[in-house]
Amino acid sequence: MTLMIILGGIAALYLIGLLFRLASLALPVCLGLCAFHLLRDQGYGWGAALAMGLLTGIGLHLTGRWLFSRTTSANIRLLIGLLFMAPAGAAGLGAGTALAGLLGIDGGWRTCLAILVGGAAASASWRSLAADRSSIGAMRDEPTVR
C-alpha cells in the first residue's frame, strides 16, 4: 500500500511537470486545431486538413521561437512572449480548476489554486522561450576557429 502511494505521488509530480513543459505549446496546438477544423468544415479531406493543421502548428511554434531568439527589441520580445503566455495561462487556469475539483476544494480557495496554476503555466511558457534565447545567444558568442 505504501509503495502505491509513493508511486502515485511520483506519477502526479511527473504529470505536473509535463503540464508546465507543454505550456509553451498551447498557442501552436490551438491554432493547428483551428486550421484543421476550418479546412475539414470547408470540405477538404481528412489528410489535407490534418497536414495543414500540423504544418500550421509546427510552423507557428518554430517561427515564434526563432523570432523571440533573434529580435533585439524588448517590446517585440514582450509581445511574442505574451502571445505564447496567454494561452498557456488559460490552459493552466483550466488545469488548476480541474485539480481543485479533484481535491474537493470549493469557494475562494478553488479560484486561488486555479490562478496559481495558471500563473505558473504562463511563467513556464516564458521561461521556455527565454531558455531558447539564451542557448542560441551562447552559440552565437562562441569564437570561430580558423
Side-chain angles (χ1 to χ4, degrees):
M1 181 71 166
T2 305
L3 183 62
M4 296 288 284
I5 293 172
I6 292 170
L7 290 177
I10 291 171
L13 289 175
Y14 176 75
L15 289 175
I16 289 171
L18 186 62
L19 168 77
F20 293 132
R21 284 190 194 126
L22 295 176
S24 64
L25 299 176
L27 178 67
V29 168
C30 288
L31 288 181
L33 284 173
C34 287
F36 168 76
H37 285 295
L38 179 69
L39 289 176
R40 185 67 188 123
D41 290 343
Q42 289 182 358
Y44 290 93
W46 282 94
L50 183 63
M52 188 52 72
L54 285 172
L55 287 175
T56 301
I58 292 170
L60 178 75
H61 175 70
L62 294 176
T63 303
R65 289 192 183 271
W66 184 81
L67 283 174
F68 189 85
S69 66
R70 297 292 181 184
T71 189
T72 57
S73 172
N75 292 333
I76 294 175
R77 272 199 317 266
L78 179 65
L79 178 66
I80 294 169
L82 288 175
L83 283 174
F84 276 80
M85 284 175 64
L93 189 69
T97 304
L99 179 63
L102 287 174
L103 295 175
I105 300 172
D106 287 329
W109 290 109
R110 179 181 208 147
T111 304
C112 289
L113 180 64
I115 290 172
L116 181 69
V117 173
S123 78
S125 175
W126 180 269
R127 281 191 324 237
S128 175
L129 285 172
D132 286 347
R133 178 174 167 71
S134 64
S135 65
I136 290 174
M139 289 182 351
R140 267 190 269 156
D141 293 340
E142 293 179 3
T144 57
V145 179
R146 293 184 186 211

